[in-house]
Amino acid sequence: SELIRGFLLSGMPCPSSCPPGLLALMAPGLALMATFSLPSQAGDRRALPVEKPPGVKGRTLILLDVNTKSPVRIISENFLSLQLDPSIIHDGWLDFLRSSEPSAPRTSSPARGAAPGCSCAGFHRRCGAAAAWRRWDGQQAFSLLGLAISLFSFPFAVDIVRSDIALDKQKGCKIAQHPDIMLELQREKAAQMHLVLLKEQFSNTYSNLTLTARSLDKLYNFADCSGLHLIFALNALRRNPNNSWNSSNALSLLKYSASKKYNISWELGNEPNNYRTLIGRSVNGSQLGKDYTQLRSLLQLIRTYSRAHLYGPNIGRPRKNVIAFLEGFMKVAGGTVDAVTWQHYYIDGRVAKVTDFLKTRLLDTLSDQIRKIQKVVNTYTPGKKIWLEGVGMTSAGGMNNLSDSYAAGFLWLNTLGLLASQGIDVVVRHSFLDHGHNHLVDQNFNPLPDYWLSLLYKRLIGPKVLAIHVAGLQRKPRPGRVIRDKLRIYAHCTSYHNHNYVRGSITLYIINLHRSRKKIKLAGTLRDKIVHQYLLQPYGKDGLHSKSVQLNGQPLAMVDDGTLPELKPRPLRAGRTLVIPPLTMSFYVVKNVNALACRYR
């Protein structure tokens, strides 16, 4: 759980209660909710006076300034959130998500991040393709009436791990201790289940997944003890003869959760535009809207959830038929949901190559999708929050040494920048830990490159997005077209929760896809300021395929099973030109700018 706490913001004060709008397994650090700067592609590109300093004759020097007077966007404090795949119930990892001991502890450590004790800073979402088949079974542990039990047999039905993490309001969270042999047995079990799940995914046929009361207790306790808020996707595939949603099973789950006073937010289904391939019949947008209205009525009947947040419809990529689905949904239930959600995966994981992660055309595909979603939402419910509630670098579970490598970070960091600059309130990353290769930690609970990237983002980036002004870039903007520059620059106010920097500081993050280094001279309000550099590069001989990273030349790794390393910046003297190495990602905190936009929350 320290891994999740690592996502929590250092020194983040714990509010007396969570803001009404924050719901998903996100923690101040795990709830990787941060903000990114307006990309140079989307920002104001007014020409600055370009005077070549001595010694740079014949070179391209990029001049960069930031509008410090007012932000162009303000996103949620929980901008960056995480998702857990239902496969953790299949393969047994749910038990280890509750541990913070040597072998299994790191899940808790990276999950918690840097603000232990604060429980309102992040969202955690439970969904995925298999979520459509999830069933609630309270009879395995409790005598509940009216439950529709749908059991199915797994190849590995015996629980290896029986120890629990218990939530004691008086004594806090008790962390279970697992012997190393238990972890080794679990890895073997998970590896075999991984093959089963991949077969289901490629054949697009899924087994029923039964959620027991015991499993729900474990899941909620993990979220609560890690300082996360849980969003749970209910099964939408249970249908009546007239194709309306059969809510009996969901009602039983809601009543049980309410009896335990679990603070949960809710969804209904996953990628409903694909139900025909799953159950042999489709559910259109209007019908799903009616189903959401029915769910809202159920929530209002249960005192614990009468004001619970509800999100949806969690559609897939907004192609023509999906846009029509969203329009039908918004007509009926646009006012019922607290935020409109959709998903995006860049590449088919079965055919991905490392060069794919460097293509600017691929990086820019998300912008068009954002505009399509925003157009529909603003037509029916202007101002409604929009979430990207399922994003991964590749689909189909990803590919080893690609979607879990340093190279995938280019897509991930650019995704965060584009979403923040275009006003998307929350992004939920798929996934913290699952059976594929899109996750943030591996099955030894070692952080992967995207984890460190996300952790830096959470530590340094605040919710206020700033416009940048760039001169000297080789490509000029073309009206109506996205600028496909290989140098992408975003700027935000530095996180208020980072006590290493005074309010008014600014954080830049930069993606250099060029195969040569680039030089940036800070101008205007940023001129002659001390800068702290956080340069992430691959570590080891594998290059872009590497699953390890170095920060300012120092390898990043857990200090021990429960301790994250210190993320030390490299101070740069005032006025120094920023030198961006080829094929790298970096953060730069410009200190003591006293930016008007960043002085106050």
Side-chain angles (χ1 to χ4, degrees), residues 6 44 48 92 109 129 169 172 177 289 295 297 303 308 311 317 329-330 389 414 427 474 508 513 540 563 565 578 594:
D44 182 353
L48 296 175
S109 190
K169 294 186 178 179
Q177 303 293 313
L295 175 55
S297 298
R303 178 177 297 182
Y311 304 102
R317 183 177 299 181
F329 176 85
M330 295 301 296
E389 209 191 56
N414 189 69
V427 53
Q474 294 175 346
L508 308 169
L513 295 173
T563 308
L578 306 182
N594 197 27

Side-chain angles (χ1 to χ4, degrees), residues 508-526:
L508 308 169
Y509 56 96
I510 301 173
I511 303 168
N512 184 12
L513 295 173
H514 290 279
R515 297 186 181 274
S516 60
R517 67 179 185 172
K518 296 299 173 184
K519 294 188 174 183
I520 297 177
K521 189 74 173 176
L522 301 183
T525 53
L526 309 185

Side-chain angles (χ1 to χ4, degrees), residues 217-264:
D217 292 342
K218 293 175 183 178
L219 179 65
Y220 185 82
N221 286 343
F222 165 69
D224 204 13
C225 288
S226 298
L228 306 173
H229 182 85
L230 180 64
I231 295 178
F232 193 95
L234 297 166
N235 185 350
L237 291 181
R238 293 177 59 84
R239 294 275 143 188
N240 295 315
N242 65 355
N243 209 29
S244 63
W245 178 49
N246 185 328
S247 61
S248 58
N249 189 257
L251 181 58
S252 298
L253 189 153
L254 291 171
K255 287 181 177 179
Y256 172 74
S257 299
S259 73
K260 304 285 283 188
K261 300 188 184 305
Y262 288 162
N263 179 21
I264 300 176

Side-chain angles (χ1 to χ4, degrees), residues 45-304:
R45 301 175 66 93
R46 292 179 300 173
L48 296 175
V50 180
E51 297 179 5
K52 292 188 178 180
V56 295
K57 217 173 198 182
R59 301 182 198 166
T60 300
L61 185 67
I62 299 162
L63 298 183
L64 172 65
D65 192 12
V66 173
N67 183 342
T68 61
K69 294 181 180 179
S70 60
V72 292
R73 297 276 191 273
I74 300 178
I75 55 179
S76 170
E77 288 277 359
N78 287 344
F79 174 72
L80 179 49
S81 297
L82 297 178
Q83 180 184 109
L84 280 181
D85 194 274
S87 62
I88 63 170
I89 297 176
H90 271 86
D91 59 27
W93 282 118
L94 179 59
D95 293 277
F96 287 88
L97 285 180
R98 299 169 295 108
S99 170
S100 182
E101 167 273 337
S103 300
R106 298 180 181 172
T107 314
S108 176
S109 190
R112 286 179 186 161
C118 186
S119 62
C120 302
F123 297 141
H124 172 73
R125 178 172 174 270
R126 285 263 312 141
C127 204
W133 294 97
R134 184 167 52 242
R135 299 290 189 274
W136 163 248
D137 173 23
Q139 286 192 352
Q140 287 204 5
F142 300 90
S143 177
L144 299 179
L145 300 178
L147 289 176
I149 302 174
S150 179
L151 296 175
F152 65 103
S153 49
F154 293 109
F156 317 98
V158 180
D159 287 335
I160 293 176
V161 181
R162 292 280 181 188
S163 55
D164 289 320
I165 184 170
L167 182 62
D168 185 321
K169 294 186 178 179
Q170 306 300 326
K171 300 180 182 179
C173 296
K174 300 176 183 178
I175 305 300
Q177 303 293 313
H178 298 305
D180 287 348
I181 185 62
M182 289 297 187
L183 184 61
E184 292 304 319
L185 290 171
Q186 168 57 27
R187 286 199 191 100
E188 293 177 9
K189 171 184 173 181
Q192 296 176 69
M193 181 55 68
H194 172 67
L195 299 177
V196 174
L197 294 174
L198 283 179
K199 183 178 179 180
E200 288 186 353
Q201 193 166 39
F202 288 128
S203 64
N204 206 29
T205 56
Y206 298 94
S207 303
N208 289 342
L209 173 59
T210 301
L211 178 72
T212 66
R214 177 181 172 85
S215 295
L216 181 60
D217 292 342
K218 293 175 183 178
L219 179 65
Y220 185 82
N221 286 343
F222 165 69
D224 204 13
C225 288
S226 298
L228 306 173
H229 182 85
L230 180 64
I231 295 178
F232 193 95
L234 297 166
N235 185 350
L237 291 181
R238 293 177 59 84
R239 294 275 143 188
N240 295 315
N242 65 355
N243 209 29
S244 63
W245 178 49
N246 185 328
S247 61
S248 58
N249 189 257
L251 181 58
S252 298
L253 189 153
L254 291 171
K255 287 181 177 179
Y256 172 74
S257 299
S259 73
K260 304 285 283 188
K261 300 188 184 305
Y262 288 162
N263 179 21
I264 300 176
S265 298
W266 304 94
E267 292 183 314
L268 181 59
N270 182 66
E271 291 195 73
N273 48 289
N274 289 332
Y275 282 177
R276 177 175 290 279
T277 60
L278 294 175
I279 59 175
R281 59 180 176 178
S282 61
V283 175
N284 61 36
S286 298
Q287 179 58 56
L288 187 69
K290 295 175 183 177
D291 300 337
Y292 262 79
T293 302
Q294 181 183 352
L295 175 55
R296 174 61 78 186
S297 298
L298 288 181
L299 294 174
Q300 291 173 343
L301 290 175
I302 301 172
R303 178 177 297 182
T304 303

